Amino acid sequence: MSGFQSASRSSEGTLLEVTDLCTHFRTERGLVRAVDGVTFSIERGKALGIVGESGSGKTVLSRAIMGLLPKRGTVQSGSVRFAGQEILGLSARQMRHLWGREMSMIFQDPMSSLNPLMKVGRQITEPLKIHLDMPRDDARQTAERLLKDVRIPEAARRLNQYPHELSGGMRQRVMIAIALACGPTLLFADEPTTALDVTVQAQILDLIGEQRRDRNMSVILVTHDLGVVAGHTDEIAVMYAGRLVEKASTRELFANMKMPYTKSLLRSIPKIDEPSHTRLMTIPGRPPDLVNPPKGCRFAPRCAYARDRCHVEDPPLVAAEQPDHVYACWYPVGSPEFEERDAEILTQSVSIGATVGVET
Amino acid sequence: MTDLLAAPSVVPEAAVTVDDGRTRRRLPLGLWFGIAWLVVATFHAYMASRLPWVRGENQRVEGAGRYRIGPSADFWFGSDKLGKDVFARCVYGAKLSITLASVSIVVGLVLGGSLGMIAGYFKGWVDRALAIVIDSLLAFPALVVAALLIGRFDVLQASDIQVAGFGFEWLTRRWSIAIVFSLLSIAPVARIVRAQTLSLSEREYVLAARSLGARTPRILFREILPNLVPAMVSVLFTGIALLLAAEGALAFLGYSIKAPDASWGLMINEARVDIDQYWWATIMPAAMLFMTVLAFNLIGDWVAKRFDIREAAI
């Protein structure tokens, strides 16, 4: 396993390559296609945002890559190459060399991701002792330094506190410190700010970004909030119903999004320059049942721009004008069919917005 | 906005805040009684031979009229038909009853707890196999099994059967009762611990520990076991109470400790036929049994409520 160590520590090149990854769960209702043919890669030191609604498979994707899903009832295919070596389907025993040391994960809810009965210091030093065989005093000093790195004041005192004595933001910082303890090269952040106050969210995201640059670490930021990934990622992948539907560099995606789903996600976020009481555009319906996904484009049943073809034929991922920008749509944003429909929709929503404004 | 609304309800709580910043909780009266009773009872039980006010277990007070005298300053609980001090026998009985019940429940916690943890953590076929074992153990009528086994153990002790060169002379009633009670407490404990482990192993901190490369034993002992302790303490107390009462029931069937040893169940059973002539020899140990069971139950209930444990099978 030392091969991983040396290979993953070089500073350039691709760190993680995911090819046609499928993760299906066998359930009593049938096969749930939680992740269905996802392909992407991430460079060293870069941040990738994975965006999608609840149930779009983004959490399963990150756990499948890390190998944290239960083996029982899970069917996996495709390939996950980490630092050039295939890691999909490795046993827990083999993955344990990577967990913590090469890749680690920050969870959504800092209230439940720390053991309530273990002091903070102990929780940080455990991985140090497990992986690096660090003696107790060294581990304690490292833990204190880590807490300072994640900007926790009075680090030495915090080490002797229990999680319930810390605020939510503090706990998430501790969680980050634990995840960073053994110097991983790849960090998964699974909705790291969803459970936190808006004011704390930005701090936590900045902290993750800062640590990424300091440590030349790759970050995969999983979230449902386009606003979260906007300022903190180099690339964005949009997932819908277990599939990748659009992927581009962050700048390109916001400037030139192709997929109506991405557009709808963006339109559902309130904007500061809109007049007050403007009604937000919502995406009607809910994500499809992943046991029987709809025929054709999976977003078609909820898409305001869908036409007959969308309900029959599955759109492939195609390249846009810019390099590294791919999308899966028959009538992408900017196509004449899209513009025609969009004009109708916008006039409708403006008139609704106007009436709401009058009423209040 | 929510802060403003919540503010008034916080104020009265702040009033009971002690200097060190911790909020003082008012403990219920029943809990105080339970603790006090247990402290006094166990102190007497284990220090009996050194306490000047407790007579010997089988010490007979000779002399005319010393038999069956009622409670008095000299004989607090009276004396029985053999002239033994009921108070002294109650105290020695406490030692045996409490020791038997606690040892059995601890053995049950260790064995049942391990089974429950394994079943709850590994799930799948391990869980299903253990569930069959646990469910079949629970299906037996406990008292009938106990009486049956103790009867067999008696035969075994009397026989000269040897296993690997060791006989079974040591298998007195104390040991048989301890073994049977331990066996009987495995299944209910395993069931509660399994349910708790199932829920604990889905917690995010367990996944977090795994994602940091922790091995299974470490997860079981560091992440899950400490969080099981409240449930186990609650089971411990209610379990002891249950076994104390069970010992009384066994005595009625004639399968408890044999005289001249003293246990509460045995004392109640011995004197109950003559209850109209000297009630104290039956009522006093019964009262002791009742108070002790109540004390354990009160403490167990408080622990369960404090840690919000839903009693499943006990």
Side-chain angles (χ1 to χ4, degrees), chain A residues 13-292:
Chain A
T14 308
L15 181 65
L16 181 75
E17 253 184 299
V18 178
T19 316
D20 199 27
L21 178 66
C22 294
T23 303
H24 298 173
F25 297 116
R26 263 178 295 209
T27 65
E28 278 168 28
R29 286 178 51 241
L31 203 60
V32 176
R33 297 175 171 82
V35 174
D36 207 8
V38 169
T39 301
F40 70 87
S41 65
I42 180 166
E43 306 273 303
R44 273 166 226 280
K46 298 283 183 197
L48 168 75
I50 298 182
V51 186
E53 282 170 282
S54 327
S56 57
K58 41 195 204 312
T59 298
V60 172
L61 175 66
S62 55
R63 294 197 181 166
I65 295 171
M66 254 190 107
L68 283 174
L69 294 171
K71 292 268 180 288
R72 203 177 302 123
T74 312
V75 190
Q76 304 229 38
S77 65
S79 145
V80 177
R81 296 178 77 79
F82 179 79
Q85 298 198 37
E86 179 64 47
I87 59 165
L88 190 72
L90 287 189
S91 67
R93 184 189 294 263
Q94 291 164 305
M95 286 304 285
R96 208 168 280 136
H97 295 276
L98 298 175
W99 288 338
R101 215 174 343 186
E102 295 295 330
M103 43 174 81
S104 59
M105 189 176 256
I106 307 171
F107 295 89
Q108 175 172 350
D109 187 2
M111 305 291 159
S112 62
S113 50
L114 292 171
N115 186 342
L117 296 179
M118 214 189 273
K119 282 180 181 166
V120 165
R122 180 86 172 276
Q123 303 200 37
I124 304 178
T125 52
E126 287 279 347
L128 293 171
K129 288 184 202 156
I130 296 175
H131 290 302
L132 308 179
D133 277 331
M134 224 182 245
R136 244 187 80 203
D137 292 342
D138 289 6
R140 201 147 179 96
Q141 278 170 14
T142 313
E144 200 179 324
R145 210 192 58 235
L146 280 163
L147 284 191
K148 282 183 184 143
D149 282 353
V150 295
R151 310 233 180 294
I152 291 182
E154 298 182 84
R157 192 167 68 88
R158 298 291 179 197
L159 288 176
N160 282 320
Q161 290 187 321
Y162 286 96
H164 75 267
E165 297 175 76
L166 307 176
S167 69
M170 281 295 174
R171 278 186 237 187
Q172 196 60 298
R173 283 166 197 271
V174 169
M175 198 58 225
I176 294 173
I178 296 174
L180 294 178
C182 296
T185 44
L186 176 62
L187 179 71
F188 290 88
D190 189 355
E191 308 230 15
T193 59
T194 310
L196 301 176
D197 268 336
V198 189
T199 45
V200 184
Q201 287 189 1
Q203 296 171 9
I204 294 289
L205 290 169
D206 288 342
L207 176 69
I208 294 175
E210 188 184 288
Q211 293 296 324
R212 168 170 69 88
R213 283 183 292 275
D214 287 357
R215 296 164 184 264
N216 192 36
M217 171 177 74
S218 307
V219 172
I220 293 183
L221 187 61
V222 177
T223 177
H224 61 264
D225 188 348
L226 267 177
V228 162
V229 289
H232 295 92
T233 54
D234 301 300
E235 267 192 307
I236 295 179
V238 182
M239 276 189 82
Y240 186 79
R243 294 214 170 150
L244 218 62
V245 292
E246 183 161 17
K247 181 173 166 290
S249 70
T250 306
R251 193 175 291 273
E252 163 72 7
L253 188 90
F254 280 98
N256 193 18
M257 51 182 63
K258 289 288 181 195
M259 179 69 192
Y261 178 62
T262 319
K263 192 94 188 164
S264 316
L265 277 181
L266 193 65
R267 278 185 179 165
S268 66
I269 303 171
K271 278 166 217 67
I272 195 108
D273 51 349
E274 278 175 353
S276 61
H277 301 293
T278 302
R279 188 161 283 195
L280 288 174
M281 302 265 255
T282 55
I283 309 175
R286 13 180 63 250
D289 178 13
L290 294 175
V291 176
N292 299 303

Side-chain angles (χ1 to χ4, degrees), chain B residues 168-238:
Chain B
F168 288 95
E169 301 80 41
W170 55 271
L171 196 66
T172 53
R173 276 287 172 84
R174 296 169 186 235
W175 285 100
S176 347
I177 295 174
I179 291 171
V180 168
F181 279 1
S182 305
L183 283 175
L184 287 177
S185 48
I186 290 175
V189 172
R191 214 156 109 159
I192 293 174
V193 170
R194 174 185 168 271
Q196 286 273 321
T197 309
L198 272 177
S199 111
L200 287 173
S201 64
E202 294 300 316
R203 298 279 165 90
E204 227 158 43
Y205 56 80
V206 173
L207 188 66
R210 278 211 317 130
S211 79
L212 289 165
R215 285 160 204 277
T216 308
R218 216 199 73 86
I219 290 176
L220 279 175
F221 288 110
R222 293 272 175 84
E223 309 286 337
I224 291 181
L225 186 61
N227 286 291
L228 279 172
V229 166
M232 285 184 155
V233 170
S234 159
V235 170
L236 178 82
F237 280 102
T238 27

